[in-house]
Amino acid sequence: MHDFPRINPIRLLDDLKTLRSFGANGPGVVRLSLSPVDMEARRWLTKRMTQAGLDATIDGVGTVFGRSRKSGPALVIGSHTDTQPTGGWLDGALGVICGLEIARALDECAATRDFAIDVASWIDEEGTFSSFLGSRSFVGDAVDASLQHARNREGLLLGDALAQAGLANVPRVMLDRKRQRAYLEPHIEQGGRLESSGKSIGVVTTIVGIREFQLRFTGQRNHAGTTPMAIRRDAGAALVALIARIDDAFNRLADADTVWTVGRIDLDPGSFSVVPGKAEMYLQFRDANAERLHAMESALITLVDEWNARHAVRAELIACEGPEEPVAMDAALQQHVAQAAESIAPGQWTPMPSGASHDAQVIAHHIPACMLFVPSIGGVSHDFIEDTAQAHIVLGCEVAARATARIVDALRRET
Amino acid sequence: MHDFPRINPIRLLDDLKTLRSFGANGPGVVRLSLSPVDMEARRWLTKRMTQAGLDATIDGVGTVFGRSRKSGPALVIGSHTDTQPTGGWLDGALGVICGLEIARALDECAATRDFAIDVASWIDEEGTFSSFLGSRSFVGDAVDASLQHARNREGLLLGDALAQAGLANVPRVMLDRKRQRAYLEPHIEQGGRLESSGKSIGVVTTIVGIREFQLRFTGQRNHAGTTPMAIRRDAGAALVALIARIDDAFNRLADADTVWTVGRIDLDPGSFSVVPGKAEMYLQFRDANAERLHAMESALITLVDEWNARHAVRAELIACEGPEEPVAMDAALQQHVAQAAESIAPGQWTPMPSGASHDAQVIAHHIPACMLFVPSIGGVSHDFIEDTAQAHIVLGCEVAARATARIVDALRRET
């Protein structure tokens, strides 16, 4: 029995490595939601949670939930153990195993042994069937459409996959706001910001909002030799010209954290000798500030309108997925994480937005939520070579454990 | 018997319509080189040439050649009757049937009945197997590699196609420079320049040269949410930026006839949420001036070198097909065509470059050659809806007949 919660680094890393073995593929992992190997991993995780003293089950959508038997206000620590089709070993897994280790560590410390820590592995954060299915189900968001119609890439219905996994008539774990009062999600950064700034811990301020648009251009397909530049209506040239204007406009609106990406361009018909008659592009932009996102969207609409007023090639703006608004992390929880980081790793932490989406953004609409990042080597994620230095994994779990103790202590004082 | 050569518009249009029936597909034509329907058309054409008093044969590569029985210097009038996979009814066919009609018209006129007019339909201008095969074979360019290795899209070898057409051991028609002293190719414009300037006849000054390049960009694939703009190496953004610089440089070098085209762009992997790690594009440019083409090529190389010296995304320039140098039409022949046009349609003609390639560019390296264009409706070609006003078809043939009389008269005076 410790006087203050001390995580066991060997036990933490051993559990991470065991989880990695389910679906291992070279250094990476292929563990798609509800696949046989994913269900194997979920049964192993349930067993480890049970061994840690939690009441652990796989619920009706596949979420593994380990409920503390302790009374009083609970902190939920979680993330996801499903992966991308070519996934890394830490994305999601880190947060779940950290939660498990923190539940054990607090149980082994006299000062915190009564603290209630629930641990969750939310199903399908990565969207094999339906993104954030587990966290959405937990907080009571509507998931009926997903349950009835969502399919994976092979065309398997979510409902059939759940039945095959033996979860057809299993109840779903639901948020109890009276008891479950806050949420913490440790995660790898998935970017290169911590590494490039030499920091070890990121305290997440906001999960950015996202806008996705398709831009379609309709001009006139023509012979590339016989059509003078002056009479062309080149859809590809229009697309390239509008990208430059979008860059200018967004650069004026952006701060250092604003990002925008042209991820795809198609010209039709796509040959040397034909002036493209049609062109399409994907545009995505993200920002932590809802007003900036709206300003960017307005600027985009204005640019397209101005373009159409002045040019013979017609541009069409089509809103896709979303929009997703930015989600702020709870200020008091951020404070606890920051103070835990400062006490363990003074000067080695930084506040930062999350550029990627996480289950925390779903849960934050219902209870106070926060996130903590550790550095990704080379900024790489969603790739077999994704990795984080062991020292950073351990440090991240230590900071999360210290933050957990502070948060639950505060929750217990409130009640 | 006329006093001056008069073409018969009904006969001209009837022959064009009959030729159209071989491979007709809606308003367009599918008549790929050496296909059964193409061979049928060639046999019909041979018969029509024979009826016009020409010694007509299908030669060992498939060219239909109608040789005049008259003595003295000959003008060859020709083009091609093969089509693109989705071809128009006039591209190529117009020039061949005009040649046939002109041979007939001159034969029916007292002043020109002794003039020698050969008529040719060169095989495979469109490159079903090997572009310009017939004209290259005629002038003695090396075609052995094509005969041995060229295949169509279905994988059929040219040699096998010729054998199937019964042409395995048939001799090839070869240029006799002592007798065949000049070449005239009437053709549709395939662009919108005549239409937009309100002219009816184009007198071709030059067939433009062509350069084709692929540009490949190698950056770093990254998460589009977690990778700040400042540390990205976005291959797609590099491509778009370099296109703007190429446009600037080419605009400075160009005249009104210079054209350049980005016909294809590919970003890898091509999704909303991934910063492209690789990008590729096709760039083609054409000009009638060899020095300008070289200057554009030098500017392009310099831009790529400058880019690589200053940016983390690497650009690579890969030369493709060609290069094709511009080919000037013979000045004296241009003069004859222009004077014929001015006498029949005063003020309705214009000198202009040909932005597209033609058999004339092959033949011009061996004997004086010239071309005459008629307007394409909407500038459309290589498409089922390709068309030219009947009045323009007839006018073009009248001008070509008048030019033919002038040219052969001049050739006869020289000897």
Side-chain angles (χ1 to χ4, degrees):
Chain A
M1 191 63 64
H2 302 289
D3 295 337
F4 58 96
R6 300 191 60 169
I7 67 154
N8 180 334
I10 303 299
R11 190 171 57 186
L12 168 71
L13 294 168
D14 279 353
D15 277 346
L16 276 171
K17 287 172 193 164
T18 302
L19 181 51
R20 180 186 207 162
S21 70
F22 297 98
N25 190 319
V29 176
V30 180
R31 198 165 57 226
L32 299 176
S33 289
L34 300 177
S35 63
V37 76
D38 178 54
M39 288 308 300
E40 249 188 277
R42 289 178 191 280
R43 286 188 286 271
W44 168 83
L45 180 61
T46 307
K47 197 178 75 184
R48 290 298 281 160
M49 287 179 173
T50 304
Q51 289 164 350
L54 301 171
D55 281 335
T57 55
I58 305 178
D59 88 341
V61 290
T63 290
V64 181
F65 201 89
R67 190 183 192 281
S68 175
R69 294 186 184 133
K70 292 159 187 174
S71 57
L75 173 71
V76 182
I77 307 179
S79 192
H80 61 98
T81 51
D82 68 310
T83 73
Q84 287 275 327
T86 56
W89 75 293
L90 291 171
D91 181 349
L94 177 94
V96 175
I97 301 300
C98 275
L100 173 63
E101 178 55 28
I102 292 167
R104 293 186 294 226
L106 265 62
D107 192 54
E108 292 161 357
C109 160
T112 58
R113 63 185 308 178
D114 295 333
F115 287 14
I117 311 298
D118 294 349
V119 182
S121 167
W122 314 114
I123 194 76
D124 210 20
E125 194 265 354
E126 300 290 10
T128 294
F129 294 93
S130 182
S131 296
F132 308 115
L133 176 65
S135 48
R136 288 191 293 123
S137 167
F138 178 68
V139 298
D141 286 357
V143 294
D144 289 348
S146 299
L147 289 171
Q148 282 170 37
H149 304 299
R151 294 177 188 270
N152 68 9
R153 285 192 185 190
E154 283 69 47
L156 179 66
L157 274 169
L158 172 58
D160 295 339
L162 289 168
Q164 284 170 22
L167 300 173
N169 295 304
V170 175
R172 286 151 51 191
V173 174
M174 301 301 289
L175 170 66
D176 173 2
R177 294 177 67 158
K178 288 207 179 113
R179 180 176 164 277
Q180 291 151 330
R181 304 268 286 278
Y183 176 70
L184 167 64
E185 183 166 356
H187 207 280
I188 57 168
E189 180 197 349
Q190 300 183 262
R193 186 191 300 252
L194 289 172
E195 187 177 77
S196 66
S197 63
K199 303 289 185 183
S200 305
I201 298 287
V203 178
V204 176
T205 53
T206 314
I207 298 173
V208 300
I210 305 181
R211 295 290 186 285
E212 291 184 349
F213 292 93
Q214 268 183 281
L215 277 151
R216 285 191 197 149
F217 298 80
T218 309
Q220 174 69 49
R221 179 171 162 168
N222 258 318
H223 191 296
T226 59
T227 315
M229 303 303 275
I231 64 170
R232 290 185 179 197
R233 292 194 291 135
D234 182 332
L239 177 148
V240 168
L242 200 59
I243 290 175
R245 294 176 194 201
I246 292 168
D247 281 340
D248 285 346
F250 284 8
N251 264 316
R252 281 195 296 275
L253 293 167
D255 74 2
D257 294 328
T258 311
V259 291
W260 62 98
T261 307
V262 174
R264 181 180 185 123
I265 297 176
D266 285 306
L267 307 187
D268 180 80
S271 65
F272 272 111
S273 282
V274 185
V275 178
K278 293 181 187 171
E280 278 193 26
M281 61 182 260
Y282 285 178
L283 174 67
Q284 183 194 74
F285 47 96
R286 304 192 188 211
D287 200 80
N289 182 317
E291 277 150 41
R292 182 177 290 116
L293 278 176
H294 286 287
M296 292 171 80
E297 190 168 343
S298 297
L300 182 61
I301 291 166
T302 302
L303 283 174
V304 170
D305 288 346
E306 286 176 358
W307 179 273
N308 284 327
R310 290 174 202 173
H311 295 87
V313 173
R314 177 158 182 80
E316 190 189 357
L317 187 66
I318 301 138
C320 303
E321 290 288 312
E324 279 183 28
E325 296 300 335
V327 179
M329 298 292 93
D330 182 78
L333 295 184
Q334 283 184 58
Q335 192 73 4
H336 287 305
V337 177
Q339 285 173 359
E342 183 63 21
S343 67
I344 294 172
Q348 288 181 47
W349 63 277
T350 180
M352 63 181 290
S354 170
S357 304
H358 297 286
D359 289 301
Q361 75 195 57
V362 174
I363 295 166
H365 288 297
H366 300 269
I367 56 174
C370 64
M371 292 192 73
L372 168 158
F373 281 165
V374 293
S376 295
I377 293 172
V380 175
S381 74
H382 291 182
D383 191 299
F384 286 157
I385 64 163
E386 167 198 291
D387 206 0
T388 294
Q390 278 199 3
H392 284 144
I393 294 173
V394 171
L395 178 66
C397 191
E398 282 173 343
V399 170
R402 183 76 59 95
T404 298
R406 293 181 58 99
I407 292 165
V408 180
D409 185 56
L411 292 173
R412 290 166 71 89
R413 286 174 201 277
E414 282 171 22
T415 36
Chain B
M1 188 65 63
H2 301 289
D3 295 335
F4 58 97
R6 298 192 63 167
I7 67 155
N8 181 333
I10 303 300
R11 190 170 56 185
L12 168 72
L13 294 168
D14 278 353
D15 277 346
L16 277 170
K17 286 173 194 163
T18 303
L19 180 52
R20 181 185 205 162
S21 70
F22 296 97
N25 191 318
V29 176
V30 181
R31 197 166 57 228
L32 299 176
S33 290
L34 300 177
S35 62
V37 76
D38 179 52
M39 288 308 300
E40 248 187 280
R42 286 174 195 282
R43 286 188 287 271
W44 167 82
L45 180 60
T46 307
K47 198 178 74 182
R48 289 299 280 160
M49 286 180 174
T50 303
Q51 289 165 347
L54 301 171
D55 281 335
T57 56
I58 304 177
D59 88 341
V61 291
T63 290
V64 180
F65 201 89
R67 191 183 191 278
S68 174
R69 293 184 185 137
K70 291 159 188 171
S71 57
L75 173 72
V76 182
I77 306 178
S79 191
H80 61 97
T81 51
D82 68 309
T83 73
Q84 287 275 327
T86 56
W89 74 295
L90 291 172
D91 181 348
L94 176 92
V96 175
I97 301 301
C98 275
L100 174 62
E101 178 54 27
I102 292 167
R104 292 185 294 225
L106 266 62
D107 192 55
E108 292 162 357
C109 162
T112 58
R113 62 185 304 179
D114 295 333
F115 287 13
I117 311 298
D118 295 351
V119 182
S121 167
W122 315 113
I123 193 77
D124 210 19
E125 195 266 354
E126 299 289 10
T128 295
F129 293 93
S130 182
S131 296
F132 307 115
L133 176 65
S135 48
R136 289 191 293 120
S137 167
F138 177 68
V139 298
D141 286 358
V143 294
D144 290 349
S146 298
L147 289 172
Q148 282 170 35
H149 305 299
R151 293 175 188 273
N152 68 8
R153 285 192 185 188
E154 283 69 47
L156 179 65
L157 274 169
L158 173 56
D160 294 340
L162 288 169
Q164 285 171 20
L167 301 173
N169 294 304
V170 174
R172 284 151 52 193
V173 173
M174 302 301 289
L175 170 65
D176 172 2
R177 295 179 63 160
K178 289 209 179 110
R179 181 177 163 278
Q180 290 151 330
R181 303 268 286 279
Y183 177 69
L184 167 64
E185 183 165 356
H187 206 281
I188 56 167
E189 179 196 349
Q190 300 184 262
R193 187 191 299 253
L194 289 173
E195 187 177 76
S196 66
S197 63
K199 303 289 184 182
S200 304
I201 299 287
V203 178
V204 176
T205 53
T206 315
I207 298 173
V208 301
I210 306 180
R211 295 289 186 284
E212 291 184 348
F213 293 92
Q214 268 183 283
L215 277 151
R216 286 191 196 146
F217 299 80
T218 310
Q220 174 70 50
R221 179 171 162 167
N222 258 316
H223 191 296
T226 60
T227 314
M229 301 305 274
I231 65 169
R232 290 184 179 197
R233 292 193 291 132
D234 182 331
L239 177 147
V240 168
L242 201 58
I243 290 175
R245 293 176 195 203
I246 292 168
D247 282 340
D248 285 347
F250 284 8
N251 265 315
R252 279 194 298 275
L253 292 167
D255 73 2
D257 293 328
T258 311
V259 292
W260 62 99
T261 307
V262 173
R264 181 180 185 122
I265 297 175
D266 285 306
L267 308 187
D268 181 80
S271 65
F272 273 112
S273 282
V274 185
V275 178
K278 292 180 187 171
E280 278 193 24
M281 60 182 259
Y282 285 178
L283 174 67
Q284 183 194 75
F285 46 98
R286 306 191 187 209
D287 200 81
N289 182 317
E291 277 150 43
R292 183 178 289 116
L293 278 176
H294 286 286
M296 292 170 80
E297 190 169 345
S298 297
L300 182 61
I301 291 167
T302 302
L303 283 173
V304 170
D305 287 347
E306 284 174 3
W307 179 273
N308 284 326
R310 290 175 203 172
H311 295 87
V313 173
R314 180 159 179 78
E316 188 188 357
L317 186 66
I318 299 138
C320 304
E321 290 289 312
E324 277 182 30
E325 296 301 335
V327 178
M329 297 292 95
D330 181 78
L333 295 185
Q334 284 183 57
Q335 193 72 4
H336 286 304
V337 177
Q339 287 174 357
E342 182 62 22
S343 67
I344 295 172
Q348 288 183 47
W349 63 277
T350 180
M352 63 181 291
S354 169
S357 305
H358 297 287
D359 290 300
Q361 75 196 56
V362 174
I363 295 166
H365 289 297
H366 300 270
I367 55 173
C370 64
M371 292 192 74
L372 170 158
F373 282 165
V374 293
S376 294
I377 294 172
V380 175
S381 74
H382 291 184
D383 192 298
F384 286 156
I385 63 163
E386 167 199 291
D387 206 359
T388 293
Q390 279 197 2
H392 284 144
I393 294 173
V394 171
L395 178 66
C397 190
E398 281 173 346
V399 170
R402 184 76 59 96
T404 298
R406 294 181 57 101
I407 292 166
V408 180
D409 185 55
L411 291 173
R412 290 166 71 92
R413 286 173 203 277
E414 282 171 23
T415 38

